[in-house]
Amino acid sequence: MLKGISAAATGMLPQLKKQEAIANNLANAGSAGFKRDRVFVEQLARAQAGAQAADWQVPQRIGLAIDFASGSMDRTDNPYDLAIAGDGFFVINTPQGPQYTRNGHFTVNPEGVLTTMDGNPVMGEDGVITLPPGSVEVGASGTVAVEGQAIGKLRVVQFADTSSLVRSGSGMFSIGAPGVQPRPDTASSIRQGFLESSNVNVIQEMVEMISTFRLYEADQKAIHAQDDLLGRVVNDLGRVR
């Protein structure tokens, strides 16, 4: 019975983590460029779990993986809204160092510097991009021009393995593994006047939330049933009649 309780409790833990991930996905469903989280459960070999693990225990590691699938393109007609068609990332200069984002909802600060809505400069291939007054045009290659005069080119990069990226807040990512370096992305194209929506499917997330809750509830009922049975064994089995 203790084995059954432990097995049911082990099954509940991933469901809790999944509920948290789904809630976060739903909360950010309307955020431009947001990438949904997925929960994975990795069962570890008993040899890795140490000598104290009993043969009926199933050691496991529960983690989050970011789904970097592209979202749809939403037209805004704002000249400072930019979307990437492809696998690239914009490079943002932050106090914590370079960070990377798919959220192209940009603006211009009083000094004319192209920035994120948080005020962090958007990087070009030759540094920050400063825009003089005038009509702004961004080409598919990332070239930025004002009144037909080329000003610079957006720096767009990609990663051989996006699993090395970790969330750093405000829709941005940082490199979470040593030795990983971005490389120039020449395959993606820029679409001016568009924003990439999140890749969260609200209906799918709601269905998964219901399914996750039911699985959690089933394990919870199993624990209650086995706990009641264990109580009867302890209290009644050895009673002299």
Side-chain angles (χ1 to χ4, degrees), residues 122-134:
V122 180
M123 297 302 294
E125 292 186 347
D126 298 318
V128 299
I129 297 176
T130 303
L131 303 174

Side-chain angles (χ1 to χ4, degrees), residues 59-116:
Q60 62 183 10
R61 181 170 68 94
I62 306 169
L64 290 176
I66 303 172
D67 180 2
F68 282 99
S70 298
S72 61
M73 299 289 182
D74 295 335
R75 184 165 189 159
T76 66
D77 291 325
N78 183 337
Y80 300 123
D81 283 345
L82 306 174
I84 298 177
D87 299 325
F89 293 83
F90 297 109
V91 182
I92 309 299
N93 186 23
T94 75
Q96 294 74 38
Q99 296 190 7
Y100 311 92
T101 187
R102 296 278 297 187
N103 182 358
H105 186 37
F106 300 140
T107 188
V108 176
N109 68 13
E111 290 74 37
V113 176
L114 185 67
T115 71
T116 65

Side-chain angles (χ1 to χ4, degrees), residues 46-241:
R46 291 192 180 94
Q48 295 177 323
Q52 295 181 350
D55 59 1
W56 49 270
Q57 291 178 316
V58 183
Q60 62 183 10
R61 181 170 68 94
I62 306 169
L64 290 176
I66 303 172
D67 180 2
F68 282 99
S70 298
S72 61
M73 299 289 182
D74 295 335
R75 184 165 189 159
T76 66
D77 291 325
N78 183 337
Y80 300 123
D81 283 345
L82 306 174
I84 298 177
D87 299 325
F89 293 83
F90 297 109
V91 182
I92 309 299
N93 186 23
T94 75
Q96 294 74 38
Q99 296 190 7
Y100 311 92
T101 187
R102 296 278 297 187
N103 182 358
H105 186 37
F106 300 140
T107 188
V108 176
N109 68 13
E111 290 74 37
V113 176
L114 185 67
T115 71
T116 65
M117 301 306 290
D118 293 332
N120 295 309
V122 180
M123 297 302 294
E125 292 186 347
D126 298 318
V128 299
I129 297 176
T130 303
L131 303 174
S135 175
V136 177
E137 295 181 0
V138 181
S141 65
T143 301
V144 181
V146 177
E147 301 293 343
Q149 181 70 35
I151 301 299
K153 187 176 182 180
L154 292 166
R155 185 182 175 201
V156 179
V157 300
Q158 61 179 189
F159 295 86
D161 183 8
T162 53
S163 65
S164 62
L165 296 178
V166 295
R167 295 191 191 278
S168 53
S170 299
M172 292 194 286
F173 303 91
S174 58
I175 298 174
V180 175
Q181 293 295 330
R183 61 190 183 190
D185 182 4
T186 58
S188 297
S189 61
I190 305 299
R191 299 187 66 182
Q192 185 181 21
F194 288 82
L195 282 177
E196 179 186 0
S197 67
S198 73
N199 63 355
V200 177
N201 184 320
V202 174
I203 295 176
Q204 178 184 345
E205 296 291 332
M206 292 297 295
V207 170
E208 289 189 10
M209 176 175 282
I210 295 171
S211 175
T212 299
F213 176 76
R214 288 177 176 172
L215 288 173
Y216 181 90
E217 190 177 44
D219 283 329
Q220 187 179 47
K221 289 179 179 178
I223 289 178
H224 284 313
Q226 291 175 86
D227 182 59
D228 290 341
L229 184 58
L230 183 61
R232 291 176 60 187
V233 169
V234 171
N235 296 319
D236 299 339
L237 190 61
R239 182 179 298 173
V240 178
R241 296 186 179 277

